Amino acid sequence: QKEVEQDPGPLSVPEGAIVSLNCTYSNSAFQYFMWYRQYSRKGPELLMYTYSSGNKEDGRFTAQVDKSSKYISLFIRDSQPSDSATYLCAMSDYLEETSGSRLTFGEGTQLTVNP
Amino acid sequence: NAGVMQNPRHLVRRRGQEARLRCSPMKGHSHVYWYRQLPEEGLKFMVYLQKENIIDESGMPKERFSAEFPKEGPSILRIQQVVRGDSAAYFCASSTAPNQPQHFGDGTRLSIL
């Protein structure tokens, strides 16, 4: 079983729709949760970063974390064609033995927003 | 305000050759991470370094792969005697401290002939 599960899609929505992207995880040690956006042939771009359960909002983006259910979501309001990309969830724990952390990624959801 | 810089963007090598991938972290960042993205797979952690120290190399293949982050200059990911299975996109990320957000470069796409 993968530590992080993410539906790869593809997901196609009309412009202006609300998009919901989700990930589930199995490792209860994960404390930090991120969403990245990756355009074709580019590196992941950090969208949201959170370390607590609840909601965090930034413009048209809302990140939701439910640690009890091991479930995170990203909502995109008023979606635009420029939002068409692959969205990656990522999470990490703090490793005492190395005083550091490493990210574990989902496989990414490919989103297309149609004009 | 430059982001994470990786070079080269594309690298072609023949089987058995060596590949060197470079990463300059964002200004003010002293923590560097390398990830690999194989075709049709997600990003996988390889190694975490601070200046002159390898902190966590649990994701590195045991043979042929090495990484360094010298006191001066970029971090280097080195792959010796490359094989076809090494073909992938290699991404570098940096952060100001452990558990702070990691920011990624645009990667080096390695192709093995």
Side-chain angles (χ1 to χ4, degrees):
Chain A
Q1 182 188 5
K2 295 178 184 175
E3 281 191 289
V4 179
E5 297 277 0
Q6 183 176 9
D7 186 342
L11 182 61
S12 182
V13 301
E15 184 175 356
I18 297 174
V19 177
S20 173
L21 304 165
N22 311 294
C23 288
T24 58
Y25 62 96
S26 57
N27 186 349
S28 58
F30 286 142
Q31 302 177 35
Y32 305 89
F33 304 90
M34 288 133 276
W35 285 94
Y36 286 86
R37 177 174 63 194
Q38 187 175 22
Y39 292 112
S40 181
R41 316 297 283 178
K42 294 291 222 177
E45 172 193 0
L46 182 65
L47 289 176
M48 301 291 279
Y49 175 84
T50 184
Y51 53 86
S52 59
S53 284
N55 292 354
K56 181 177 181 180
E57 189 173 320
D58 185 359
R60 295 185 295 112
F61 299 93
T62 299
Q64 194 173 77
V65 175
D66 182 347
K67 288 187 178 180
S68 62
S69 301
K70 297 190 182 66
Y71 187 88
I72 69 171
S73 299
L74 178 71
F75 299 95
I76 307 173
R77 290 183 299 280
D78 187 25
S79 56
Q80 303 294 310
S82 59
D83 294 328
S84 298
T86 297
Y87 289 80
L88 304 164
C89 64
M91 41 202 84
S92 70
D93 56 356
Y94 183 76
L95 302 171
E96 292 287 345
E97 60 270 28
T98 62
S99 299
S101 63
R102 55 179 178 258
L103 297 182
T104 301
F105 282 86
E107 289 193 18
T109 299
Q110 187 179 340
L111 171 67
T112 300
V113 181
N114 300 300
Chain B
N1 185 18
V4 177
M5 303 300 293
Q6 290 189 248
N7 66 82
R9 290 294 311 277
H10 302 274
L11 182 61
V12 180
R13 285 288 178 266
R14 296 187 181 279
R15 281 177 294 172
Q17 291 184 321
E18 178 180 287
R20 283 190 180 224
L21 289 62
R22 296 175 185 78
C23 169
S24 296
M26 285 180 70
K27 189 175 181 180
H29 288 198
S30 58
H31 299 253
V32 167
Y33 312 81
W34 286 92
Y35 294 83
R36 179 165 64 174
Q37 190 171 40
L38 292 166
E40 307 304 323
E41 291 189 23
L43 282 153
K44 305 289 186 195
F45 169 80
M46 297 181 75
V47 62
Y48 162 39
L49 310 103
Q50 295 177 25
K51 284 286 187 181
E52 300 184 280
N53 285 302
I54 296 174
I55 307 301
D56 181 358
E57 56 182 348
S58 59
M60 288 275 272
K62 292 290 185 286
E63 298 177 348
R64 303 187 297 107
F65 285 72
S66 61
E68 63 176 8
F69 189 16
K71 188 176 180 181
E72 301 289 339
S75 176
I76 306 286
L77 180 68
R78 182 182 178 204
I79 311 172
Q80 295 178 288
Q81 298 176 320
V82 296
V83 300
R84 287 257 171 87
D86 297 332
S87 295
Y90 291 82
F91 291 95
C92 170
S94 70
S95 67
T96 55
N99 295 320
Q100 290 302 303
Q102 295 181 24
H103 297 269
F104 283 77
D106 281 338
T108 293
R109 279 154 183 84
L110 175 64
S111 297
I112 308 302
L113 300 179

